[in-house]
Amino acid sequence: VREWVDIPLWAEFRGFVWNSQLTAIGQYNHPVMFSELRGYVDAIHRDLEAFFHSIERLIPLERYIIDFAWTDNKVYLVEVNPFDGEIVFPASTGLWSWEEDRQQMMNGPLELRIRNQEQDVGVLKKHTDPKWRAVLML
């Protein structure tokens, strides 16, 4: 167990590992565009990839989802979950579509995706859990 660290909503990311290779990363809270991410994309990409390579040998799986938290001075491992590509639902893949992006998610090259345009507030409200609506001020 590690000490508690407050991580902003915009600083969580989900990675996809296939055949032990990190092939795709997307912002975890994918429905929302976070202006805080502008200007940090290259640094986030570099830091998450470096962190992954520092721990990959410790994870005894070939296919999995890995969640990261990023700060400007440290990357944290949030959790690891098996990912077989068979049981997929939109919340699990976020800005990546298993149907449309399958080849890249299986083979790379590594890409970091963030939401660059705001979604319609009505769409966000419709597809966001009521508890999260309060957090996101929707």
Side-chain angles (χ1 to χ4, degrees), residues 64-109:
Y64 54 94
I65 292 172
I66 182 168
D67 292 343
F68 306 98
W70 180 87
T71 67
D72 59 0
N73 62 1
K74 190 168 183 177
V75 175
Y76 297 91
L77 172 64
V78 175
E79 68 178 329
V80 173
N81 289 293
F83 177 69
D84 62 6
E86 298 298 323
I87 302 172
V88 179
F89 52 96
S92 68
T93 57
L95 294 174
W96 293 88
S97 166
W98 184 245
E99 301 307 317
E100 295 171 18
D101 301 313
R102 180 183 313 234
Q103 287 307 309
Q104 184 164 356
M105 292 174 76
M106 291 172 67
N107 302 304

Side-chain angles (χ1 to χ4, degrees), residues 47-60:
D47 293 351
L48 295 183
E49 184 176 17
F51 179 79
F52 171 76
H53 288 306
S54 76
I55 64 163
E56 65 184 312
R57 63 178 168 56
L58 303 173
I59 302 172

Side-chain angles (χ1 to χ4, degrees), residues 6-14 26-30 32-41 44 48 68-73 112-115 132 135-136:
D6 286 326
I7 302 293
L9 285 175
W10 58 266
E12 293 185 64
F13 298 87
R14 173 156 285 180
Q27 72 182 61
Y28 184 83
N29 294 298
H30 58 89
V32 181
M33 185 192 81
F34 293 103
S35 59
E36 294 89 344
L37 290 172
R38 291 187 193 138
Y40 291 110
V41 174
I44 293 167
L48 295 183
F68 306 98
W70 180 87
T71 67
D72 59 0
N73 62 1
L112 168 62
R113 291 187 181 173
I114 64 166
R115 183 166 301 282
W132 276 105
V135 172
L136 298 170

